[in-house]
């Protein structure tokens, strides 16, 4: 979702509020969006030689926020210093004066219900000149740190989401703001202290060998990505774990966000417990809900299965590796309703509107179930960097704007005001093309 991380959703796609829960604004966009991007979006300078990346885009009110790893942003004829976080008008692209000046990667951002506070998570030790550790509450007016909110996470923060009066936090940490809660915690958005809403005892990592006997790469326990349902009542959590609340879970689980506690939902699939390449043990890094909340879509990396069906390069694809798939969201065990393979290219982001499921990564094809890194047989269609599928059949649509692949699209969100699809990316290997337009490294907006 992405170097190590290709997708992190915090307040991703927020343009409306459901109760006190910030929720994705999906339902009224019909799709497909245009194949022609807006040219007014801020972007990385074409002269930048260092690899820079937008890790997440999030909207609060009329303002869009971008976080990641970068130092300079171009807007119109202006070049502005912005270290790892900035904001801009969502309709015009005009960059604001907001400058929290973070000294390390920002993985994720979410907001207070009134948009006056931004919560930042990542791997950093200073925000706006104030000493913090991987977590901070920041004024969206001044960029200054709110010192009343505790700001010490004992490991990298990967995901943030505000749910009512609870700030949900996920990452590598085994302690946070004085609490020994590991990997996922719920904090008071006022004090930053553990409020006890989440108590899941997350543990475990993946251990197996591939068909050549090669052992799996190191993979530490973590929660990595959150995606809230349109009604704000359920949360998808992606990461590395084998046990959650005493139940077996791998790659992804669903929480019910109750009035007094977040509890593990029965939703699951035995397909999530299969193994992909031994070099890519954590492969399910992105998920999205249908606008009605009835379907969960996942996008994966992983290469090919570590063993068994599909494990050889020339095999017909199998398992969930390097694919998009759909599952019913009801509280039980499911098989996928459809699956679409990329031909062994990673997907790091996924988003949905009424008529399309959008995919982003560094993929070259869709509908390529015949082999790895080439096309064998029928069905494969060229879809470099971005594409869309039918939500009912999973078949690739004709929508094909193209995008420079780079490291891969780290995040995709659908918004309603303005209506369209936002894509977060990078400038790796001078990648800056989206929809046939150059000079769009980092951010691309395809209007509805």
């Amino acid at each position: 979702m992405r170097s190590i991380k290709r997708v992190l959703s915090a307040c991703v796609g927020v343009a409306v509020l459901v109760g006190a829960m910030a929720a994705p604004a999906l339902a009224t966009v019909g799709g497909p969006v245009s194949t022609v991007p807006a040219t007014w979006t801020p972007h990385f300078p074409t002269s930048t030689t260092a690899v820079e990346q937008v890790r997440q885009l999030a909207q609060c009110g009329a303002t869009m926020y971008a976080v990641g790893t970068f130092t300079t942003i171009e807007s119109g004829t202006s070049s502005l210093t912005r270290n790892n976080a900035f904001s801009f008008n969502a309709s015009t692209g005009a960059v604001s004066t907001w400058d929290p000046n973070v000294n390390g990667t920002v993985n994720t951002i979410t907001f207070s219900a009134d948009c006056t506070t931004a919560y930042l998570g990542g791997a950093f030790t200073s925000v706006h000149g104030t000493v913090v550790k991987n977590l901070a509450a920041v004024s969206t007016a001044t960029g200054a740190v709110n010192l009343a909110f505790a700001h010490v996470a004992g490991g990298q923060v990967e995901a943030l989401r505000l749910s009512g009066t609870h700030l949900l936090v996920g990452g590598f940490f085994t302690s946070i703001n004085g609490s020994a809660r590991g990997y996922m915690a719920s904090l008071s958005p006022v004090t930053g202290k553990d409020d006890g809403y989440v108590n899941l005892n997350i543990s475990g990592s993946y251990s197996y060998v591939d068909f050549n006997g090669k052992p799996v790469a190191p993979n530490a326990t973590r929660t990595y990505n959150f995606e809230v349902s349109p009604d704000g009542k359920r949360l998808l959590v992606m990461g590395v774990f084998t046990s959650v609340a005493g139940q077996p879970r791998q790659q992804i689980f669903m929480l019910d966000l109750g009035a007094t506690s977040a509890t593990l939902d029965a939703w699951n699939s035995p397909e999530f417990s299969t193994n992909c390449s031994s070099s890519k043990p954590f492969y399910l890094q992105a998920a999205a809900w249908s606008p009605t909340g009835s379907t969960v879509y996942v996008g994966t990396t992983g290469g090919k299965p570590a063993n068994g069906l599909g494990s050889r390069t020339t095999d017909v694809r199998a398992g969930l590796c390097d694919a998009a798939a759909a599952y019913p969201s009801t509280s039980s065990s499911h098989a996928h309703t459809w699956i679409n393979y990329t031909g062994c290219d990673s997907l790091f982001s996924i988003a949905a509107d009424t008529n399309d499921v959008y995919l982003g990564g560094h993929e070259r094809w869709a509908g390529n179930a015949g082999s790895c890194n080439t096309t064998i047989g029928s069905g494969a269609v060229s879809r470099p960097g971005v594409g869309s599928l039918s939500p009912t059949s999973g078949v690739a649509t004709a929508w094909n704007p193209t995008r420079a692949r780079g490291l891969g699209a780290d995040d995709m969100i659908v918004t309603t005001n303005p209506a369209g699809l936002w894509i977060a990316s990078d400038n790796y290997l001078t990648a800056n093309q989206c929809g046939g337009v150059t000079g769009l490294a980092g951010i691309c907006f395809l209007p509805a």
Side-chain angles (χ1 to χ4, degrees):
M1 52 138 72
R2 187 182 187 226
S3 30
I4 189 173
K5 158 185 199 230
R6 287 286 179 221
V7 176
L8 285 187
S9 301
C11 204
V12 175
V14 173
V16 295
L17 297 178
V18 178
M21 159 76 87
L26 303 178
T28 61
V29 177
V33 299
S34 174
T35 58
V36 180
T39 58
W40 44 257
T41 51
H43 53 271
F44 301 142
T46 56
S47 60
T48 300
T49 57
V51 176
E52 299 196 320
Q53 187 174 40
V54 174
R55 306 297 298 276
Q56 186 189 349
L57 291 165
Q59 186 178 2
C60 212
T63 303
M64 187 68 69
Y65 294 78
V67 298
T69 303
F70 47 80
T71 58
T72 307
I73 299 299
E74 282 189 352
S75 177
T77 59
S78 300
S79 182
L80 305 169
T81 298
R82 292 291 187 272
N83 290 315
N84 306 315
F86 75 100
S87 68
F88 59 96
N89 184 289
S91 297
T92 69
V95 175
S96 76
T97 58
W98 188 69
D99 184 13
N101 190 26
V102 188
N103 76 338
T105 298
V106 182
N107 292 322
T108 181
I109 183 171
T110 196
F111 307 94
S112 60
D114 62 2
C115 297
T116 60
T117 299
Y119 300 93
L120 305 179
F124 49 77
T125 58
S126 173
V127 176
H128 211 258
T130 299
V131 175
V132 297
K133 189 174 182 181
N134 305 323
L135 178 68
V138 177
S139 165
T140 56
T142 67
V145 173
N146 175 7
L147 294 176
F149 178 88
H151 41 269
V152 177
Q156 187 168 178
V157 172
E158 297 276 2
L160 293 168
R161 177 74 72 170
L162 187 70
S163 174
T165 58
H166 310 285
L167 179 65
L168 306 181
V169 186
F172 286 87
F173 56 84
T174 55
S175 63
I176 187 165
N177 290 342
S179 169
R181 197 85 64 190
Y183 313 117
M184 185 173 179
S186 174
L187 308 179
S188 161
V190 177
T191 67
K193 296 296 186 179
D194 188 343
D195 61 17
Y197 182 73
V198 168
N199 184 19
L200 298 173
N201 295 315
I202 296 168
S203 65
S205 60
Y206 308 132
S207 178
Y208 56 90
V209 296
D210 66 16
F211 65 94
N212 290 317
K214 183 177 180 179
V216 68
N219 56 106
T221 308
R222 81 201 76 161
T223 58
Y224 174 86
N225 192 5
F226 296 159
E227 192 64 36
V228 70
S229 62
D231 64 5
K233 295 181 179 180
R234 293 177 291 174
L235 185 76
L236 296 169
V237 181
M238 289 137 272
V240 175
F241 35 73
T242 57
S243 178
V244 178
Q247 298 297 313
R249 292 290 190 274
Q250 292 188 198
Q251 304 289 336
I252 187 171
F253 62 86
M254 184 185 292
L255 290 181
D256 295 318
L257 301 176
T260 58
S261 64
T263 56
L264 185 67
D265 190 276
W267 180 85
N268 196 22
S269 173
E271 297 167 0
F272 303 149
S273 298
T274 58
N275 298 320
C276 291
S277 165
S278 58
S279 64
K280 300 176 181 178
F282 172 39
Y283 58 81
L284 201 166
Q285 300 175 8
W289 297 83
S290 66
T292 63
S294 62
T295 304
V296 170
Y297 307 109
V298 300
T300 70
T301 179
K304 56 185 185 294
N307 40 58
L309 294 174
S311 60
R312 295 176 301 179
T313 298
T314 55
D315 286 347
V316 173
R317 298 300 90 221
L320 282 180
C321 314
D322 282 351
Y327 295 86
S329 67
T330 51
S331 299
S332 61
S333 181
H334 299 283
H336 64 263
T337 56
W338 56 251
I339 191 165
N340 188 302
Y341 292 99
T342 65
C344 297
D345 284 338
S346 294
L347 298 174
F348 301 122
S349 55
I350 190 165
D353 59 26
T354 303
N355 295 320
D356 290 81
V357 179
Y358 300 102
L359 311 175
H362 59 228
E363 75 275 23
R364 289 165 286 181
W365 304 285
N368 189 10
S371 187
C372 276
N373 299 316
T374 187
T375 58
I376 297 176
S378 61
V381 293
S382 176
R383 294 294 183 270
V386 65
S388 82
L389 310 177
S390 161
T392 54
S393 69
V395 173
T397 71
W399 187 79
N400 185 27
T402 76
R403 186 189 61 80
R405 295 166 63 217
L407 292 173
D410 224 23
D411 194 15
M412 303 174 75
I413 61 172
V414 176
T415 57
T416 56
N417 187 23
L421 175 71
W422 296 83
I423 305 171
S425 61
D426 57 84
N427 64 351
Y428 180 62
L429 295 178
T430 67
N432 67 10
Q433 180 272 130
C434 182
V437 177
T438 58
L440 298 178
I443 297 174
C444 178
F445 176 60
L446 298 164

